[in-house]
């Protein structure tokens, strides 16, 4: 075994001839970021020159087929991927930020929050002449695979992570890879060495909504929530339960959905078709709230005379329906700017930070009112 010290706080160990064995140990006992395999690594493991590796991997003549096959096999075992960014080849970085979204693609075109978030992100990246590489995937496993591929291919210098999960594998993976990242909407008490967090107080926002509805006499409140397993969804559900318990309310519930208008309407019909229907509905986005108003009207319910409606995200849509919707308002464009600013600070060598955005503000409009008879 040959050992060389690459930094004062890192030791890398290699076993020549094996596929790939490398790790880093810091003074704190934490793993150092993994190192991308290079052509030099492939040459060492395959027992050939770097020029032979280049010929083999780029399909150029000059090496035998046996050598070409051996080089490709070693490259696959090491997890090597070709760099697709010219700046990465020169050692200057990819000049690109990655953004992966693991959500149903059909829900994105009408989601005002993400459109505004990306707008704010792009403003900051454009000022720094950084590109944004965006990809939609099926699930969190696919998202992790994208990060590994981007890292191996030198595609991005850092990533923006959205929709934190309650049991989330991404922060540990990004720590291991050494990819700078900003988690948008993460919890303030989560700490990862290379990750910053920009978070909103979902608990405080939900408490404000419940306070308003309770003051109007509502005792049967249903929260038509977003995707289950998302950290912010779970925070809102927990807060609603806590507020209901504090007031002794038993007719309070949360129903997860996929954020789509179709599910928003379907759940609305279901909860309003019971023997004791809800008198107030809280929707986790504006699209579901609009669909919910339409569904309630079809069932013969009047908003807000029979049922009050609150949308979590304020947008122009909330003012394009009658009655205008009461909604939680926040500057989603600024949210994106803050996230991108924190990521560029990490890329500049700054420390990881936790930054809080202002609590979403409840704007009371015509869709909320006092119950006709408290139940």
């Amino acid at each position: 075994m040959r050992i060389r010290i690459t930094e004062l706080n890192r030791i890398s160990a290699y076993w020549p001839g094996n596929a790939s064995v490398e790790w880093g140990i810091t003074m704190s006992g934490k793993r150092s970021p993994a190192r991308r395999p290079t052509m030099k690594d492939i040459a060492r493991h395959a027992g050939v020159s770097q020029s032979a590796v280049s010929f083999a991997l780029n399909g150029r003549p000059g090496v035998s087929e046996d050598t070409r096959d051996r080089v490709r096999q070693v490259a696959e075992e090491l997890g090597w991927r070709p760099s697709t960014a010219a700046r990465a080849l020169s050692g200057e970085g990819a000049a690109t930020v990655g953004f992966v979204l693991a959500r149903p693609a059909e829900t994105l075109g009408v989601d005002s929050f993400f459109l505004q978030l990306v707008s704010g992100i792009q403003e900051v990246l454009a000022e720094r002449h950084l590109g944004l590489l965006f990809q939609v995937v099926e699930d969190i496993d696919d998202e992790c695979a994208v990060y590994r591929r981007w890292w191996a291919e030198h595609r991005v210098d850092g990533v923006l992570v959205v929709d934190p999960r309650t049991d989330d594998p991404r922060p540990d993976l990004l720590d291991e890879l050494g990819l700078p990242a900003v988690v948008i909407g993460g919890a303030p008490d989560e700490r990862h060495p290379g990750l910053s967090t920009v978070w909103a107080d979902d608990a405080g926002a939900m408490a404000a909504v419940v306070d308003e509805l309770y003051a109007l006499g509502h005792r049967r409140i249903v929260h038509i929530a977003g995707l289950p397993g998302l950290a912010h969804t779970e925070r809102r559900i927990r807060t609603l339960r806590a507020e209901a318990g504090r007031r002794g309310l038993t007719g309070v519930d949360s129903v997860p959905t996929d954020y789509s208008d179709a599910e928003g309407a379907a759940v609305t019909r279901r909860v309003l078709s019971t023997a004791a229907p809800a008198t107030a509905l809280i929707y986790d986005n504006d699209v579901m709230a609009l669909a919910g108003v339409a569904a309630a009207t079809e069932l013969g319910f009047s908003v807000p005379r029979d049922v009050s409606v609150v949308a979590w995200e304020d947008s122009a849509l909330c003012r394009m329906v009658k009655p205008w919707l009461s909604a939680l308002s926040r500057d989603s464009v600024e949210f994106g700017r803050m996230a991108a600013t924190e990521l560029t600070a990490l890329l500049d060598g700054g420390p990881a930070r936790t930054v809080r955005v202002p609590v979403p503000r409840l704007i009371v409009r015509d869709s909320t009112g006092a119950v006709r008879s408290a139940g």
Side-chain angles (χ1 to χ4, degrees):
M1 182 176 70
R2 175 168 59 90
I3 299 177
R4 64 184 174 88
I5 300 177
T6 57
E7 299 173 6
L8 289 178
N9 68 338
R10 182 179 179 195
I11 297 176
S12 295
Y14 300 88
W15 274 267
N18 287 342
S20 175
V21 181
E22 179 181 352
W23 64 86
I25 302 174
T26 65
M27 297 300 290
S28 64
K30 295 182 179 295
R31 288 184 53 159
S32 295
R35 185 175 67 84
R36 294 180 179 90
T38 64
M39 285 192 178
K40 183 176 181 180
D41 296 326
I42 297 171
R44 183 177 63 253
H45 287 286
V48 299
S49 67
Q50 290 188 60
S51 59
V53 171
S54 178
F55 291 156
L57 295 177
N58 289 306
R60 296 165 55 192
V63 294
S64 68
E65 286 304 312
D66 286 344
T67 298
R68 193 183 307 278
D69 291 342
R70 184 166 73 255
V71 167
R72 288 175 175 171
Q73 181 179 352
V74 170
E76 181 65 25
E77 291 172 349
L78 292 176
W80 179 86
R81 296 291 184 275
S83 170
T84 56
R87 286 174 58 84
L89 289 173
S90 66
E92 297 178 4
T96 302
V97 167
F99 185 1
V100 184
L101 190 58
R103 278 199 186 185
E106 62 270 15
T107 66
L108 301 182
V110 293
D111 194 318
S112 62
F113 170 74
F114 274 107
L115 294 175
Q116 295 177 53
L117 183 77
V118 171
S119 177
I121 290 170
Q122 186 58 36
E123 282 186 24
V124 173
L125 297 184
E127 292 172 359
R128 295 287 298 265
H129 304 289
L130 293 170
L132 180 64
L133 182 57
F134 179 73
Q135 187 163 344
V136 179
V137 296
E138 288 294 323
D139 54 36
I140 205 74
D141 290 336
D142 288 343
E143 183 174 342
C144 289
V146 169
Y147 292 145
R148 292 189 184 94
R149 185 174 70 251
W150 282 353
W151 169 82
E153 296 174 354
H154 304 254
R155 293 289 296 274
V156 298
D157 296 315
V159 296
L160 294 158
V161 180
V162 295
D163 289 343
R165 267 61 173 179
T166 51
D167 186 14
D168 202 327
R170 295 173 296 176
D172 286 340
L173 171 63
L174 294 169
D175 271 347
E176 178 186 337
L177 297 178
L179 266 179
V182 172
V183 179
I184 301 173
D189 55 349
E190 293 177 355
R191 294 290 185 271
H192 293 272
L195 278 63
S196 289
T197 297
V198 179
W199 70 286
D201 187 1
D202 293 287
M206 178 60 83
V209 173
V210 176
D211 281 343
E212 174 69 17
L213 294 175
Y214 187 83
L216 291 171
H218 294 280
R219 303 296 183 263
R220 296 192 301 273
I221 303 170
V222 173
H223 168 214
I224 300 178
L227 290 167
L230 297 186
H232 66 261
T233 300
E234 298 303 321
R235 285 196 295 267
R236 295 172 190 179
I237 291 173
R238 286 197 305 269
T239 303
L240 179 61
R241 288 173 179 167
E243 293 296 316
R246 187 165 67 86
R247 294 174 171 86
L249 304 181
T250 57
V252 173
D253 194 13
S254 292
V255 183
T257 70
D258 65 358
Y259 283 111
S260 70
D261 57 334
E263 284 206 13
V267 173
T268 300
R269 295 187 190 99
R270 188 163 72 245
V271 301
L272 291 182
S273 298
T274 62
T279 64
L281 301 173
I282 306 169
Y283 294 85
D284 261 3
N285 70 13
D286 50 354
V287 173
M288 290 198 298
L290 262 69
V293 169
T297 302
E298 290 172 3
L299 293 175
F301 287 79
S302 174
V303 179
R305 184 172 63 96
D306 301 315
V307 60
S308 287
V309 170
V310 177
W312 198 273
E313 297 293 342
D314 190 24
S315 72
L317 292 178
C318 295
R319 300 181 298 279
M320 295 174 66
V321 63
K322 290 186 178 181
W324 283 15
L325 300 185
S326 297
L328 282 160
S329 177
R330 60 180 168 185
D331 190 341
S332 300
V333 174
E334 180 60 21
F335 204 169
R337 291 192 198 102
M338 291 177 68
T341 298
E342 290 303 313
L343 183 56
T344 58
L346 286 177
L347 298 181
D348 290 339
R353 301 198 316 155
T354 297
V355 179
R356 173 178 169 177
V357 301
V359 179
R361 179 171 57 92
L362 177 61
I363 299 178
V364 177
R365 299 193 180 105
D366 297 335
S367 67
T368 49
V371 294
R372 288 187 295 172
S373 60

